[in-house]
Amino acid sequence: MAPQDDSGRAADQVVRSIADRIRAGTLADGQPLPPERDLMEEYGISRTVVREAVRTLSSRGLIEALPRHRPVVRKPGFDAAIDAVGSIVTHLLGEPGGVKNLFDSRIMVEAALVRQAAKEASKHDIAALTAALEANGASILDSEEFYRTDNAFHGVLYQIPQNPVLPAIHRAYTTWLAPQWSRMPRLPDRNRANLEAHKAIYDAILMRDPDAAEARLRDHLATAWAQVRETFGDV
């Protein structure tokens, strides 16, 4: 491997320094990064090195680079960690079987989530599921809204365990699978079938039956995958 050039080493030092300041709270979540000129003077570096450091910080989810605005600090969290691997996952999804592998992992996660929901969902959780299901049912004729409320129904399942990792994982699945799901044919009849599947999952959770909840979830996602294959073939 070729040795790193001086600008690369300088950018790495700036990245480490700014990352330490973000973790320590010296640069707070939502605070704009200091202007380029200030960073150049503070670290004794060129504009090119500043911009290289900013790109690296952005790729690690520590800042959000906004068009025509100064980058904004983002406190490290599970969302940021998942965002940081997004480009790698997107590349892997292009490999043979990549989408199927990711979707299979989603099935495993959600199967466990519906089992837990059937055993432990609180009144507040049931109310959230009820509201999500009603919103999904109200959007049968609006396929774009149905897609959004479909994701929201599944998203409630990731909220129930009150584990901050899980909502970030749900957002990642939604984002990473969007290139396929957003291009699926969306018809009222298909929306109705998906709604009925959601109702079956919901009813099993209400009945506190984890085996039925998992079975209905697996049936639902198996049908969803069959629709993907019908549209895109093996992906």
Side-chain angles (χ1 to χ4, degrees):
M1 181 180 294
Q4 191 176 28
D5 61 25
D6 290 343
S7 65
R9 285 192 294 269
D12 287 345
Q13 291 171 359
V14 175
V15 168
R16 284 194 294 271
S17 174
I18 293 176
D20 287 344
R21 292 162 67 181
I22 292 172
R23 295 186 185 99
T26 308
L27 288 171
D29 185 38
Q31 177 182 342
L33 207 63
E36 281 187 352
R37 184 170 296 280
D38 290 359
L39 292 173
M40 291 165 62
E41 293 177 359
E42 178 180 355
Y43 291 102
I45 54 177
S46 68
R47 190 180 305 275
T48 299
V49 173
V50 170
R51 292 180 177 177
E52 183 177 347
V54 167
R55 283 194 298 271
T56 300
L57 289 163
S58 179
S59 71
R60 296 181 184 178
L62 294 174
I63 64 169
E64 181 180 1
L66 304 170
R68 298 183 298 279
H69 291 84
R70 278 159 53 195
V72 173
V73 172
R74 290 297 176 223
K75 183 179 179 180
F78 294 109
D79 281 333
I82 288 174
D83 284 344
V85 301
S87 61
I88 298 173
V89 173
T90 300
H91 171 73
L92 293 174
L93 291 178
E95 298 293 321
V99 177
K100 179 66 162 57
N101 290 334
L102 183 64
F103 192 72
D104 283 348
S105 75
R106 176 187 168 183
I107 293 173
M108 288 186 280
V109 170
E110 292 195 11
L113 290 175
V114 294
R115 294 190 69 86
Q116 183 167 352
K119 294 176 183 178
E120 302 178 8
S122 66
K123 289 182 180 180
H124 172 78
D125 297 327
I126 296 298
L129 276 172
T130 302
L133 186 64
E134 289 175 350
N136 197 214
S139 60
I140 287 286
L141 299 179
D142 182 344
S143 288
E144 289 301 318
E145 182 64 8
F146 188 87
Y147 176 62
R148 188 192 70 78
T149 58
D150 184 323
N151 282 326
F153 175 81
H154 285 266
V156 175
L157 300 173
Y158 289 77
Q159 296 282 348
I160 289 174
Q162 297 184 25
N163 181 324
V165 178
L166 292 170
I169 290 174
H170 175 253
R171 189 172 67 84
Y173 281 136
T174 300
T175 300
W176 295 338
L177 292 170
Q180 282 72 39
W181 262 245
S182 63
R183 291 187 287 128
M184 291 284 290
R186 300 194 178 280
L187 303 169
D189 286 348
R190 182 171 286 185
N191 293 346
R192 289 188 185 93
N194 286 331
L195 176 64
E196 289 304 313
H198 291 160
K199 286 180 177 177
I201 295 167
Y202 172 82
D203 288 344
I205 291 172
L206 285 187
M207 294 298 292
R208 301 298 183 182
D209 187 337
D211 290 339
E214 178 179 352
R216 300 294 78 76
L217 182 282
R218 288 185 178 276
D219 288 345
H220 172 43
L221 294 184
T223 299
W225 182 252
Q227 293 170 355
V228 171
R229 288 194 64 198
E230 181 182 329
T231 305
F232 299 105
D234 292 322
V235 289

